[in-house]
Amino acid sequence: MRWTIDHASPERLQDQIAGCVRRGIAGGELALNDQLPPAAELGEALSVNRNTVLAAYRQLRDEGLLEFRRGRGVRIAATEQATQPVIDAAADLLALARDHGLDRPAVFRILKELP
Amino acid sequence: MTTHTATGPRTIYTGRTTNWPVIVPTVVLAVLLVAMGSTGEGGRGGSGDFAVIVALLAIGIAANILTASSVRASAGPNGFDVRWGVVGWPRCVYRLDEIQHAEVIDLPWYRVTWGLWWSPRGTSCTVRSGPTVRLTLVNGRTVTVSVPEPHLAVRAIHEARRP
């Protein structure tokens, strides 16, 4: 999967790494039980400390998205939790658009024009 | 290993491919070994040779699981990094300035090496047929590596090489 982080961003590196995993799950790049790279290897490739990667992994484990298993590494434990809030928000958006007389293509156009 | 200075955006690709054609016979062999041990086969009379054979088989099984069960690759500003098995060894690292060209090739089944193979013309770390990353190094050697999404890996290298 692709990992993109910005060392110059004010957002914490561990949050950016956690965001990459969430995007990977939401986009279907990561499936249930997929194994993530060991923290030391990912840290080396991203030029961040392994403890930063571990902090991101722990954050996602606490959210229920990852599980740590001895001998099996870090794996994806859930794929629904990350996308459900977005699906709910999208449903609310479509309902709001209907109230204002906008159909789905009009909403898609608005979304595409967003930066 | 040289690493690029960590400033600004950084995009990498990571992928892991399981080497099932090695794992399956290794596990079958391990089960047979355990079964032989539990039934005491060969344990009676002249068991010295048997013990040596069992020990060698056990070492071979452990080595296979530790070093050949999967291949992990990462591509990005640090170049292309290939690691084998549970412990990440053997490991091959190709820096960006060593890579002349990166592409995706369609590997036929009869060219799959099912492990790490080195020859004067190139290195092959392939565990399945189909789309595969092929690096051509500046010294003329080629490196062929199985990754789950070879197009993303090649894209990460091309992006990292952009000024």
Side-chain angles (χ1 to χ4, degrees), chain B residues 28-42:
Chain B
V28 169
L29 199 60
V31 170
L32 284 176
L33 205 61
V34 170
M36 282 167 68
S38 63
T39 55
E41 280 294 320

Side-chain angles (χ1 to χ4, degrees), chain A residues 13 34 41 81 83 97 113:
Chain A
L13 288 169
D34 275 359
E41 289 177 21
Q81 197 177 336
T83 53
E113 285 166 11

Side-chain angles (χ1 to χ4, degrees), chain A:
Chain A
M1 72 167 274
R2 276 168 69 84
W3 306 75
T4 302
I5 62 165
D6 187 351
H7 285 264
S9 166
E11 189 183 4
R12 289 191 307 171
L13 288 169
Q14 72 176 69
D15 293 337
Q16 293 185 50
I17 293 168
C20 289
V21 176
R22 286 197 195 94
R23 279 193 295 277
I25 293 170
E29 272 186 278
L30 290 172
L32 199 64
N33 285 325
D34 275 359
Q35 191 175 356
L36 293 182
E41 289 177 21
L42 184 59
E44 187 182 319
L46 287 170
S47 287
V48 300
N49 192 288
R50 70 188 288 269
N51 290 324
T52 306
V53 179
L54 279 174
Y57 282 180
R58 284 195 200 102
Q59 188 180 322
L60 293 165
R61 180 194 59 187
D62 295 344
E63 292 172 19
L65 288 177
L66 299 184
E67 62 177 0
F68 295 5
R69 279 194 192 170
R70 188 178 292 276
R72 292 190 65 206
V74 180
R75 288 179 183 267
I76 303 293
T79 52
E80 295 302 316
Q81 197 177 336
T83 53
Q84 199 52 50
V86 180
I87 293 169
D88 293 344
D92 291 344
L93 174 67
L94 286 174
L96 185 68
R98 267 197 305 275
D99 291 346
H100 287 79
L102 296 172
D103 58 1
R104 281 179 183 233
V107 176
F108 293 154
R109 272 199 302 279
I110 292 169
L111 289 173
K112 277 183 186 170
E113 285 166 11
L114 286 176

Side-chain angles (χ1 to χ4, degrees), chain B residues 54 71 83 86 137 148 160 163:
Chain B
V54 167
V71 57
R83 298 172 196 245
V86 178
L137 305 181

